[in-house]
mmCIF file of all heavy atoms in Angstrom:
data_model
loop_
_atom_site.group_PDB
_atom_site.id
_atom_site.type_symbol
_atom_site.label_atom_id
_atom_site.label_comp_id
_atom_site.label_asym_id
_atom_site.label_seq_id
_atom_site.Cartn_x
_atom_site.Cartn_y
_atom_site.Cartn_z
ATOM 1 N N GLU A 1215 28.642 -3.113 4.849
ATOM 2 C CA GLU A 1215 27.982 -2.796 3.580
ATOM 3 C C GLU A 1215 27.731 -1.293 3.447
ATOM 4 O O GLU A 1215 27.898 -0.726 2.365
ATOM 5 C CB GLU A 1215 26.655 -3.551 3.458
ATOM 6 C CG GLU A 1215 26.829 -5.038 3.249
ATOM 7 C CD GLU A 1215 25.511 -5.784 3.294
ATOM 8 O OE1 GLU A 1215 24.837 -5.763 4.355
ATOM 9 O OE2 GLU A 1215 25.146 -6.379 2.260
ATOM 10 N N TRP A 1216 27.313 -0.646 4.537
ATOM 11 C CA TRP A 1216 27.085 0.809 4.489
ATOM 12 C C TRP A 1216 28.374 1.529 4.114
ATOM 13 O O TRP A 1216 28.368 2.418 3.267
ATOM 14 C CB TRP A 1216 26.604 1.330 5.837
ATOM 15 C CG TRP A 1216 25.312 0.783 6.326
ATOM 16 C CD1 TRP A 1216 24.223 0.414 5.573
ATOM 17 C CD2 TRP A 1216 24.954 0.544 7.687
ATOM 18 N NE1 TRP A 1216 23.218 -0.040 6.391
ATOM 19 C CE2 TRP A 1216 23.639 0.038 7.696
ATOM 20 C CE3 TRP A 1216 25.608 0.719 8.898
ATOM 21 C CZ2 TRP A 1216 22.970 -0.300 8.869
ATOM 22 C CZ3 TRP A 1216 24.947 0.386 10.059
ATOM 23 C CH2 TRP A 1216 23.653 -0.120 10.050
ATOM 24 N N ILE A 1217 29.460 1.130 4.747
ATOM 25 C CA ILE A 1217 30.752 1.796 4.530
ATOM 26 C C ILE A 1217 31.264 1.533 3.110
ATOM 27 O O ILE A 1217 31.728 2.443 2.430
ATOM 28 C CB ILE A 1217 31.772 1.349 5.590
ATOM 29 C CG1 ILE A 1217 31.333 1.858 6.971
ATOM 30 C CG2 ILE A 1217 33.180 1.817 5.245
ATOM 31 C CD1 ILE A 1217 32.046 1.204 8.131
ATOM 32 N N ASN A 1218 31.173 0.297 2.660
ATOM 33 C CA ASN A 1218 31.722 -0.069 1.349
ATOM 34 C C ASN A 1218 30.855 0.367 0.168
ATOM 35 O O ASN A 1218 31.378 0.704 -0.891
ATOM 36 C CB ASN A 1218 31.950 -1.580 1.263
ATOM 37 C CG ASN A 1218 33.073 -2.045 2.165
ATOM 38 O OD1 ASN A 1218 33.965 -1.272 2.514
ATOM 39 N ND2 ASN A 1218 33.030 -3.298 2.548
ATOM 40 N N ASP A 1219 29.537 0.350 0.331
ATOM 41 C CA ASP A 1219 28.639 0.576 -0.807
ATOM 42 C C ASP A 1219 27.822 1.853 -0.731
ATOM 43 O O ASP A 1219 27.095 2.174 -1.660
ATOM 44 C CB ASP A 1219 27.679 -0.615 -0.955
ATOM 45 C CG ASP A 1219 28.421 -1.914 -1.192
ATOM 46 O OD1 ASP A 1219 29.442 -1.895 -1.910
ATOM 47 O OD2 ASP A 1219 27.995 -2.954 -0.655
ATOM 48 N N GLY A 1220 27.893 2.571 0.386
ATOM 49 C CA GLY A 1220 27.129 3.793 0.530
ATOM 50 C C GLY A 1220 25.716 3.541 1.046
ATOM 51 O O GLY A 1220 25.285 2.396 1.206
ATOM 52 N N VAL A 1221 25.010 4.650 1.292
ATOM 53 C CA VAL A 1221 23.673 4.606 1.886
ATOM 54 C C VAL A 1221 22.792 5.617 1.144
ATOM 55 O O VAL A 1221 23.247 6.707 0.801
ATOM 56 C CB VAL A 1221 23.730 4.963 3.392
ATOM 57 C CG1 VAL A 1221 22.351 4.922 4.028
ATOM 58 C CG2 VAL A 1221 24.692 4.037 4.131
ATOM 59 N N ILE A 1222 21.546 5.264 0.926
ATOM 60 C CA ILE A 1222 20.596 6.184 0.300
ATOM 61 C C ILE A 1222 20.427 7.402 1.204
ATOM 62 O O ILE A 1222 20.245 7.256 2.418
ATOM 63 C CB ILE A 1222 19.240 5.497 0.063
ATOM 64 C CG1 ILE A 1222 19.388 4.383 -0.969
ATOM 65 C CG2 ILE A 1222 18.172 6.501 -0.382
ATOM 66 C CD1 ILE A 1222 18.142 3.528 -1.167
ATOM 67 N N LYS A 1223 20.474 8.570 0.606
ATOM 68 C CA LYS A 1223 20.327 9.796 1.393
ATOM 69 C C LYS A 1223 18.960 9.823 2.064
ATOM 70 O O LYS A 1223 17.955 9.511 1.458
ATOM 71 C CB LYS A 1223 20.538 11.017 0.513
ATOM 72 C CG LYS A 1223 21.982 11.158 0.081
ATOM 73 C CD LYS A 1223 22.227 12.409 -0.692
ATOM 74 C CE LYS A 1223 23.705 12.489 -1.029
ATOM 75 N NZ LYS A 1223 24.021 13.716 -1.756
ATOM 76 N N GLY A 1224 18.960 10.158 3.343
ATOM 77 C CA GLY A 1224 17.738 10.197 4.130
ATOM 78 C C GLY A 1224 17.449 8.900 4.871
ATOM 79 O O GLY A 1224 16.521 8.833 5.663
ATOM 80 N N ALA A 1225 18.257 7.864 4.633
ATOM 81 C CA ALA A 1225 18.015 6.566 5.273
ATOM 82 C C ALA A 1225 18.625 6.504 6.668
ATOM 83 O O ALA A 1225 19.687 7.059 6.929
ATOM 84 C CB ALA A 1225 18.586 5.432 4.420
ATOM 85 N N ALA A 1226 17.920 5.794 7.549
ATOM 86 C CA ALA A 1226 18.454 5.467 8.869
ATOM 87 C C ALA A 1226 19.170 4.127 8.763
ATOM 88 O O ALA A 1226 18.671 3.204 8.122
ATOM 89 C CB ALA A 1226 17.327 5.385 9.891
ATOM 90 N N MET A 1227 20.320 4.042 9.362
ATOM 91 C CA MET A 1227 21.100 2.802 9.327
ATOM 92 C C MET A 1227 20.831 2.021 10.602
ATOM 93 O O MET A 1227 21.340 2.364 11.674
ATOM 94 C CB MET A 1227 22.589 3.134 9.186
ATOM 95 C CG MET A 1227 22.928 3.830 7.889
ATOM 96 S SD MET A 1227 24.674 4.302 7.761
ATOM 97 C CE MET A 1227 24.702 5.751 8.828
ATOM 98 N N ILE A 1228 20.005 0.989 10.483
ATOM 99 C CA ILE A 1228 19.709 0.116 11.616
ATOM 100 C C ILE A 1228 19.858 -1.319 11.121
ATOM 101 O O ILE A 1228 18.970 -1.863 10.472
ATOM 102 C CB ILE A 1228 18.278 0.308 12.169
ATOM 103 C CG1 ILE A 1228 17.967 1.773 12.440
ATOM 104 C CG2 ILE A 1228 18.093 -0.527 13.425
ATOM 105 C CD1 ILE A 1228 16.538 2.010 12.896
ATOM 106 N N THR A 1229 20.977 -1.910 11.414
ATOM 107 C CA THR A 1229 21.205 -3.271 10.922
ATOM 108 C C THR A 1229 20.317 -4.259 11.675
ATOM 109 O O THR A 1229 20.057 -4.100 12.863
ATOM 110 C CB THR A 1229 22.680 -3.674 11.035
ATOM 111 O OG1 THR A 1229 22.863 -4.900 10.336
ATOM 112 C CG2 THR A 1229 23.137 -3.815 12.468
ATOM 113 N N TYR A 1230 19.842 -5.245 10.955
ATOM 114 C CA TYR A 1230 19.071 -6.310 11.578
ATOM 115 C C TYR A 1230 19.960 -7.537 11.777
ATOM 116 O O TYR A 1230 19.689 -8.371 12.612
ATOM 117 C CB TYR A 1230 17.857 -6.671 10.717
ATOM 118 C CG TYR A 1230 16.905 -7.616 11.398
ATOM 119 C CD1 TYR A 1230 15.944 -7.135 12.272
ATOM 120 C CD2 TYR A 1230 16.989 -8.990 11.207
ATOM 121 C CE1 TYR A 1230 15.079 -7.996 12.932
ATOM 122 C CE2 TYR A 1230 16.122 -9.853 11.864
ATOM 123 C CZ TYR A 1230 15.180 -9.359 12.717
ATOM 124 O OH TYR A 1230 14.323 -10.208 13.375
ATOM 125 N N PHE A 1231 21.028 -7.596 11.021
ATOM 126 C CA PHE A 1231 21.915 -8.758 11.037
ATOM 127 C C PHE A 1231 23.337 -8.319 11.362
ATOM 128 O O PHE A 1231 23.787 -7.281 10.910
ATOM 129 C CB PHE A 1231 21.923 -9.431 9.658
ATOM 130 C CG PHE A 1231 20.570 -9.870 9.193
ATOM 131 C CD1 PHE A 1231 19.788 -9.040 8.410
ATOM 132 C CD2 PHE A 1231 20.059 -11.113 9.547
ATOM 133 C CE1 PHE A 1231 18.532 -9.435 7.976
ATOM 134 C CE2 PHE A 1231 18.812 -11.521 9.122
ATOM 135 C CZ PHE A 1231 18.040 -10.676 8.336
ATOM 136 N N ASP A 1232 24.049 -9.152 12.118
ATOM 137 C CA ASP A 1232 25.449 -8.849 12.347
ATOM 138 C C ASP A 1232 26.279 -9.322 11.151
ATOM 139 O O ASP A 1232 25.722 -9.821 10.171
ATOM 140 C CB ASP A 1232 25.943 -9.423 13.682
ATOM 141 C CG ASP A 1232 25.951 -10.944 13.734
ATOM 142 O OD1 ASP A 1232 25.895 -11.614 12.670
ATOM 143 O OD2 ASP A 1232 26.024 -11.493 14.844
ATOM 144 N N GLU A 1233 27.586 -9.179 11.221
ATOM 145 C CA GLU A 1233 28.454 -9.535 10.085
ATOM 146 C C GLU A 1233 28.361 -11.004 9.699
ATOM 147 O O GLU A 1233 28.619 -11.365 8.559
ATOM 148 C CB GLU A 1233 29.913 -9.157 10.400
ATOM 149 C CG GLU A 1233 30.141 -7.668 10.558
ATOM 150 C CD GLU A 1233 29.845 -6.842 9.317
ATOM 151 O OE1 GLU A 1233 29.982 -7.355 8.190
ATOM 152 O OE2 GLU A 1233 29.464 -5.674 9.467
ATOM 153 N N SER A 1234 27.975 -11.871 10.640
ATOM 154 C CA SER A 1234 27.821 -13.297 10.319
ATOM 155 C C SER A 1234 26.376 -13.636 9.940
ATOM 156 O O SER A 1234 26.019 -14.791 9.843
ATOM 157 C CB SER A 1234 28.277 -14.155 11.503
ATOM 158 O OG SER A 1234 27.429 -13.935 12.620
ATOM 159 N N MET A 1235 25.563 -12.573 9.744
ATOM 160 C CA MET A 1235 24.155 -12.679 9.336
ATOM 161 C C MET A 1235 23.258 -13.255 10.423
ATOM 162 O O MET A 1235 22.183 -13.781 10.165
ATOM 163 C CB MET A 1235 23.979 -13.471 8.031
ATOM 164 C CG MET A 1235 24.519 -12.751 6.836
ATOM 165 S SD MET A 1235 23.705 -11.160 6.660
ATOM 166 C CE MET A 1235 24.989 -10.191 5.963
ATOM 167 N N LYS A 1236 23.696 -13.161 11.660
ATOM 168 C CA LYS A 1236 22.862 -13.556 12.793
ATOM 169 C C LYS A 1236 21.908 -12.398 13.101
ATOM 170 O O LYS A 1236 22.338 -11.250 13.239
ATOM 171 C CB LYS A 1236 23.744 -13.853 14.008
ATOM 172 C CG LYS A 1236 22.961 -14.270 15.224
ATOM 173 C CD LYS A 1236 23.873 -14.532 16.400
ATOM 174 C CE LYS A 1236 23.046 -14.783 17.646
ATOM 175 N NZ LYS A 1236 23.891 -14.822 18.840
ATOM 176 N N PRO A 1237 20.603 -12.666 13.207
ATOM 177 C CA PRO A 1237 19.652 -11.573 13.473
ATOM 178 C C PRO A 1237 19.779 -11.010 14.886
ATOM 179 O O PRO A 1237 20.112 -11.727 15.820
ATOM 180 C CB PRO A 1237 18.280 -12.231 13.284
ATOM 181 C CG PRO A 1237 18.500 -13.690 13.214
ATOM 182 C CD PRO A 1237 19.952 -13.949 13.015
ATOM 183 N N ASP A 1238 19.521 -9.707 14.995
ATOM 184 C CA ASP A 1238 19.488 -9.023 16.284
ATOM 185 C C ASP A 1238 18.149 -8.290 16.376
ATOM 186 O O ASP A 1238 18.086 -7.065 16.266
ATOM 187 C CB ASP A 1238 20.652 -8.043 16.423
ATOM 188 C CG ASP A 1238 20.613 -7.271 17.735
ATOM 189 O OD1 ASP A 1238 19.862 -7.656 18.650
ATOM 190 O OD2 ASP A 1238 21.326 -6.255 17.832
ATOM 191 N N LYS A 1239 17.080 -9.066 16.570
ATOM 192 C CA LYS A 1239 15.742 -8.490 16.594
ATOM 193 C C LYS A 1239 15.588 -7.476 17.715
ATOM 194 O O LYS A 1239 15.046 -6.391 17.507
ATOM 195 C CB LYS A 1239 14.688 -9.595 16.738
ATOM 196 C CG LYS A 1239 13.283 -9.057 16.800
ATOM 197 C CD LYS A 1239 12.257 -10.159 16.989
ATOM 198 C CE LYS A 1239 10.878 -9.571 17.189
ATOM 199 N NZ LYS A 1239 9.889 -10.605 17.489
ATOM 200 N N LYS A 1240 16.068 -7.821 18.895
ATOM 201 C CA LYS A 1240 15.886 -6.933 20.042
ATOM 202 C C LYS A 1240 16.543 -5.571 19.798
ATOM 203 O O LYS A 1240 15.925 -4.527 19.989
ATOM 204 C CB LYS A 1240 16.456 -7.577 21.308
ATOM 205 C CG LYS A 1240 16.273 -6.735 22.547
ATOM 206 C CD LYS A 1240 16.834 -7.417 23.776
ATOM 207 C CE LYS A 1240 16.680 -6.524 25.001
ATOM 208 N NZ LYS A 1240 17.275 -7.130 26.188
ATOM 209 N N GLY A 1241 17.789 -5.573 19.371
ATOM 210 C CA GLY A 1241 18.498 -4.326 19.109
ATOM 211 C C GLY A 1241 17.842 -3.532 17.987
ATOM 212 O O GLY A 1241 17.711 -2.308 18.072
ATOM 213 N N PHE A 1242 17.421 -4.225 16.942
ATOM 214 C CA PHE A 1242 16.763 -3.566 15.819
ATOM 215 C C PHE A 1242 15.468 -2.898 16.276
ATOM 216 O O PHE A 1242 15.215 -1.731 15.964
ATOM 217 C CB PHE A 1242 16.475 -4.579 14.704
ATOM 218 C CG PHE A 1242 15.768 -3.984 13.521
ATOM 219 C CD1 PHE A 1242 16.484 -3.359 12.514
ATOM 220 C CD2 PHE A 1242 14.385 -4.036 13.422
ATOM 221 C CE1 PHE A 1242 15.832 -2.794 11.418
ATOM 222 C CE2 PHE A 1242 13.721 -3.479 12.338
ATOM 223 C CZ PHE A 1242 14.451 -2.860 11.339
ATOM 224 N N MET A 1243 14.656 -3.634 17.019
ATOM 225 C CA MET A 1243 13.362 -3.102 17.450
ATOM 226 C C MET A 1243 13.546 -1.907 18.392
ATOM 227 O O MET A 1243 12.772 -0.947 18.335
ATOM 228 C CB MET A 1243 12.516 -4.191 18.112
ATOM 229 C CG MET A 1243 12.118 -5.334 17.176
ATOM 230 S SD MET A 1243 11.233 -4.833 15.691
ATOM 231 C CE MET A 1243 9.713 -4.230 16.375
ATOM 232 N N GLN A 1244 14.556 -1.937 19.241
ATOM 233 C CA GLN A 1244 14.817 -0.803 20.134
ATOM 234 C C GLN A 1244 15.153 0.454 19.337
ATOM 235 O O GLN A 1244 14.652 1.538 19.638
ATOM 236 C CB GLN A 1244 15.961 -1.137 21.094
ATOM 237 C CG GLN A 1244 15.589 -2.120 22.159
ATOM 238 C CD GLN A 1244 16.786 -2.580 22.985
ATOM 239 O OE1 GLN A 1244 17.947 -2.361 22.622
ATOM 240 N NE2 GLN A 1244 16.508 -3.234 24.104
ATOM 241 N N GLN A 1245 15.993 0.301 18.321
ATOM 242 C CA GLN A 1245 16.364 1.454 17.492
ATOM 243 C C GLN A 1245 15.177 1.944 16.660
ATOM 244 O O GLN A 1245 14.965 3.153 16.518
ATOM 245 C CB GLN A 1245 17.540 1.101 16.577
ATOM 246 C CG GLN A 1245 18.826 0.822 17.316
ATOM 247 C CD GLN A 1245 19.322 2.043 18.073
ATOM 248 O OE1 GLN A 1245 19.468 3.115 17.510
ATOM 249 N NE2 GLN A 1245 19.564 1.884 19.359
ATOM 250 N N LEU A 1246 14.397 1.022 16.129
ATOM 251 C CA LEU A 1246 13.222 1.399 15.337
ATOM 252 C C LEU A 1246 12.215 2.158 16.192
ATOM 253 O O LEU A 1246 11.644 3.164 15.759
ATOM 254 C CB LEU A 1246 12.565 0.155 14.720
ATOM 255 C CG LEU A 1246 11.364 0.430 13.833
ATOM 256 C CD1 LEU A 1246 11.754 1.254 12.605
ATOM 257 C CD2 LEU A 1246 10.712 -0.883 13.417
ATOM 258 N N GLU A 1247 12.029 1.705 17.409
ATOM 259 C CA GLU A 1247 11.106 2.364 18.344
ATOM 260 C C GLU A 1247 11.504 3.829 18.564
ATOM 261 O O GLU A 1247 10.641 4.707 18.648
ATOM 262 C CB GLU A 1247 11.083 1.611 19.671
ATOM 263 C CG GLU A 1247 10.323 2.279 20.783
ATOM 264 C CD GLU A 1247 8.812 2.222 20.627
ATOM 265 O OE1 GLU A 1247 8.318 1.354 19.897
ATOM 266 O OE2 GLU A 1247 8.137 3.077 21.230
ATOM 267 N N LYS A 1248 12.799 4.086 18.627
ATOM 268 C CA LYS A 1248 13.265 5.463 18.815
ATOM 269 C C LYS A 1248 12.885 6.347 17.627
ATOM 270 O O LYS A 1248 12.584 7.523 17.799
ATOM 271 C CB LYS A 1248 14.776 5.490 19.023
ATOM 272 C CG LYS A 1248 15.192 4.910 20.359
ATOM 273 C CD LYS A 1248 16.694 4.859 20.505
ATOM 274 C CE LYS A 1248 17.063 4.202 21.840
ATOM 275 N NZ LYS A 1248 18.502 4.109 22.028
ATOM 276 N N LEU A 1249 12.886 5.776 16.439
ATOM 277 C CA LEU A 1249 12.541 6.553 15.247
ATOM 278 C C LEU A 1249 11.036 6.705 15.049
ATOM 279 O O LEU A 1249 10.568 7.757 14.622
ATOM 280 C CB LEU A 1249 13.152 5.924 13.995
ATOM 281 C CG LEU A 1249 14.655 6.044 13.855
ATOM 282 C CD1 LEU A 1249 15.134 5.265 12.644
ATOM 283 C CD2 LEU A 1249 15.068 7.501 13.746
ATOM 284 N N THR A 1250 10.291 5.651 15.331
ATOM 285 C CA THR A 1250 8.843 5.691 15.083
ATOM 286 C C THR A 1250 8.070 6.243 16.266
ATOM 287 O O THR A 1250 6.892 6.582 16.120
ATOM 288 C CB THR A 1250 8.292 4.287 14.773
ATOM 289 O OG1 THR A 1250 8.484 3.441 15.913
ATOM 290 C CG2 THR A 1250 8.947 3.683 13.535
ATOM 291 N N LYS A 1251 8.710 6.295 17.434
ATOM 292 C CA LYS A 1251 8.050 6.741 18.671
ATOM 293 C C LYS A 1251 6.760 5.937 18.923
ATOM 294 O O LYS A 1251 5.754 6.473 19.367
ATOM 295 C CB LYS A 1251 7.783 8.234 18.629
ATOM 296 C CG LYS A 1251 9.064 9.049 18.570
ATOM 297 C CD LYS A 1251 8.797 10.518 18.545
ATOM 298 C CE LYS A 1251 10.021 11.381 18.532
ATOM 299 N NZ LYS A 1251 11.204 10.960 17.896
ATOM 300 N N GLY A 1252 6.827 4.652 18.580
ATOM 301 C CA GLY A 1252 5.705 3.754 18.839
ATOM 302 C C GLY A 1252 4.609 3.766 17.796
ATOM 303 O O GLY A 1252 3.632 3.037 17.922
ATOM 304 N N ASP A 1253 4.745 4.567 16.744
ATOM 305 C CA ASP A 1253 3.718 4.654 15.701
ATOM 306 C C ASP A 1253 3.867 3.486 14.732
ATOM 307 O O ASP A 1253 4.701 3.509 13.829
ATOM 308 C CB ASP A 1253 3.833 5.983 14.962
ATOM 309 C CG ASP A 1253 2.783 6.150 13.885
ATOM 310 O OD1 ASP A 1253 1.931 5.254 13.720
ATOM 311 O OD2 ASP A 1253 2.817 7.196 13.198
ATOM 312 N N LYS A 1254 3.065 2.466 14.916
ATOM 313 C CA LYS A 1254 3.149 1.273 14.073
ATOM 314 C C LYS A 1254 2.447 1.447 12.728
ATOM 315 O O LYS A 1254 2.470 0.550 11.897
ATOM 316 C CB LYS A 1254 2.593 0.061 14.826
ATOM 317 C CG LYS A 1254 3.488 -0.322 15.991
ATOM 318 C CD LYS A 1254 3.095 -1.625 16.608
ATOM 319 C CE LYS A 1254 4.101 -1.999 17.696
ATOM 320 N NZ LYS A 1254 3.867 -3.327 18.229
ATOM 321 N N ASN A 1255 1.834 2.608 12.511
ATOM 322 C CA ASN A 1255 1.232 2.914 11.214
ATOM 323 C C ASN A 1255 2.132 3.813 10.367
ATOM 324 O O ASN A 1255 1.761 4.177 9.249
ATOM 325 C CB ASN A 1255 -0.133 3.597 11.410
ATOM 326 C CG ASN A 1255 -1.119 2.664 12.061
ATOM 327 O OD1 ASN A 1255 -1.265 1.521 11.662
ATOM 328 N ND2 ASN A 1255 -1.785 3.141 13.089
ATOM 329 N N ARG A 1256 3.282 4.171 10.868
ATOM 330 C CA ARG A 1256 4.221 5.024 10.135
ATOM 331 C C ARG A 1256 4.686 4.319 8.868
ATOM 332 O O ARG A 1256 4.909 3.101 8.871
ATOM 333 C CB ARG A 1256 5.416 5.329 11.043
ATOM 334 C CG ARG A 1256 6.561 6.081 10.429
ATOM 335 C CD ARG A 1256 6.427 7.563 10.679
ATOM 336 N NE ARG A 1256 7.409 8.331 9.958
ATOM 337 C CZ ARG A 1256 8.523 8.824 10.487
ATOM 338 N NH1 ARG A 1256 8.780 8.633 11.757
ATOM 339 N NH2 ARG A 1256 9.353 9.519 9.743
ATOM 340 N N GLN A 1257 4.813 5.055 7.784
ATOM 341 C CA GLN A 1257 5.338 4.477 6.544
ATOM 342 C C GLN A 1257 6.798 4.110 6.755
ATOM 343 O O GLN A 1257 7.612 4.969 7.110
ATOM 344 C CB GLN A 1257 5.264 5.477 5.398
ATOM 345 C CG GLN A 1257 3.895 5.785 4.928
ATOM 346 C CD GLN A 1257 3.944 6.876 3.867
ATOM 347 O OE1 GLN A 1257 4.815 7.715 3.862
ATOM 348 N NE2 GLN A 1257 2.987 6.840 2.972
ATOM 349 N N ILE A 1258 7.108 2.845 6.549
ATOM 350 C CA ILE A 1258 8.483 2.374 6.700
ATOM 351 C C ILE A 1258 8.895 1.691 5.411
ATOM 352 O O ILE A 1258 8.223 0.775 4.935
ATOM 353 C CB ILE A 1258 8.608 1.393 7.878
ATOM 354 C CG1 ILE A 1258 8.251 2.098 9.193
ATOM 355 C CG2 ILE A 1258 10.018 0.800 7.933
ATOM 356 C CD1 ILE A 1258 8.209 1.185 10.401
ATOM 357 N N VAL A 1259 10.017 2.157 4.851
ATOM 358 C CA VAL A 1259 10.596 1.545 3.657
ATOM 359 C C VAL A 1259 11.883 0.858 4.078
ATOM 360 O O VAL A 1259 12.781 1.494 4.629
ATOM 361 C CB VAL A 1259 10.905 2.595 2.572
ATOM 362 C CG1 VAL A 1259 11.523 1.919 1.350
ATOM 363 C CG2 VAL A 1259 9.658 3.373 2.192
ATOM 364 N N LEU A 1260 11.970 -0.434 3.838
ATOM 365 C CA LEU A 1260 13.151 -1.214 4.196
ATOM 366 C C LEU A 1260 14.038 -1.403 2.970
ATOM 367 O O LEU A 1260 13.543 -1.645 1.866
ATOM 368 C CB LEU A 1260 12.730 -2.565 4.755
ATOM 369 C CG LEU A 1260 11.859 -2.481 6.012
ATOM 370 C CD1 LEU A 1260 11.189 -3.802 6.295
ATOM 371 C CD2 LEU A 1260 12.686 -2.015 7.194
ATOM 372 N N VAL A 1261 15.340 -1.301 3.195
ATOM 373 C CA VAL A 1261 16.316 -1.411 2.118
ATOM 374 C C VAL A 1261 17.407 -2.378 2.544
ATOM 375 O O VAL A 1261 17.876 -2.336 3.691
ATOM 376 C CB VAL A 1261 16.957 -0.034 1.817
ATOM 377 C CG1 VAL A 1261 18.038 -0.155 0.752
ATOM 378 C CG2 VAL A 1261 15.902 0.976 1.402
ATOM 379 N N CYS A 1262 17.813 -3.239 1.614
ATOM 380 C CA CYS A 1262 18.974 -4.098 1.837
ATOM 381 C C CYS A 1262 19.761 -4.163 0.526
ATOM 382 O O CYS A 1262 19.548 -3.356 -0.369
ATOM 383 C CB CYS A 1262 18.554 -5.481 2.328
ATOM 384 S SG CYS A 1262 17.683 -6.485 1.107
ATOM 385 N N ARG A 1263 20.625 -5.117 0.394
ATOM 386 C CA ARG A 1263 21.454 -5.208 -0.809
ATOM 387 C C ARG A 1263 20.637 -5.597 -2.035
ATOM 388 O O ARG A 1263 20.740 -4.977 -3.082
ATOM 389 C CB ARG A 1263 22.597 -6.214 -0.595
ATOM 390 C CG ARG A 1263 23.605 -6.264 -1.741
ATOM 391 C CD ARG A 1263 24.667 -7.316 -1.508
ATOM 392 N NE ARG A 1263 24.146 -8.655 -1.676
ATOM 393 C CZ ARG A 1263 23.999 -9.272 -2.845
ATOM 394 N NH1 ARG A 1263 24.350 -8.684 -3.945
ATOM 395 N NH2 ARG A 1263 23.511 -10.486 -2.899
ATOM 396 N N SER A 1264 19.808 -6.631 -1.904
ATOM 397 C CA SER A 1264 19.106 -7.162 -3.078
ATOM 398 C C SER A 1264 17.584 -7.204 -2.944
ATOM 399 O O SER A 1264 16.893 -7.523 -3.900
ATOM 400 C CB SER A 1264 19.595 -8.584 -3.360
ATOM 401 O OG SER A 1264 19.217 -9.440 -2.289
ATOM 402 N N GLY A 1265 17.065 -6.922 -1.765
ATOM 403 C CA GLY A 1265 15.626 -6.996 -1.543
ATOM 404 C C GLY A 1265 15.199 -8.217 -0.744
ATOM 405 O O GLY A 1265 14.041 -8.315 -0.347
#
Side-chain angles (χ1 to χ4, degrees):
E1215 289 173 298
W1216 298 326
I1217 293 165
N1218 291 336
D1219 300 322
V1221 180
I1222 294 173
K1223 290 185 178 182
M1227 296 177 283
I1228 309 176
T1229 190
Y1230 189 84
F1231 302 93
D1232 66 17
E1233 295 298 331
S1234 65
M1235 291 302 148
K1236 180 181 173 189
D1238 178 14
K1239 179 182 174 185
K1240 182 179 178 183
F1242 179 85
M1243 296 304 293
Q1244 288 172 346
Q1245 294 297 307
L1246 182 63
E1247 172 74 21
K1248 290 176 183 179
L1249 289 175
T1250 63
K1251 296 181 178 32
D1253 181 2
K1254 292 189 176 187
N1255 295 312
R1256 174 94 188 259
Q1257 290 175 331
I1258 297 174
V1259 179
L1260 300 165
V1261 177
C1262 68
R1263 186 183 73 82
S1264 66

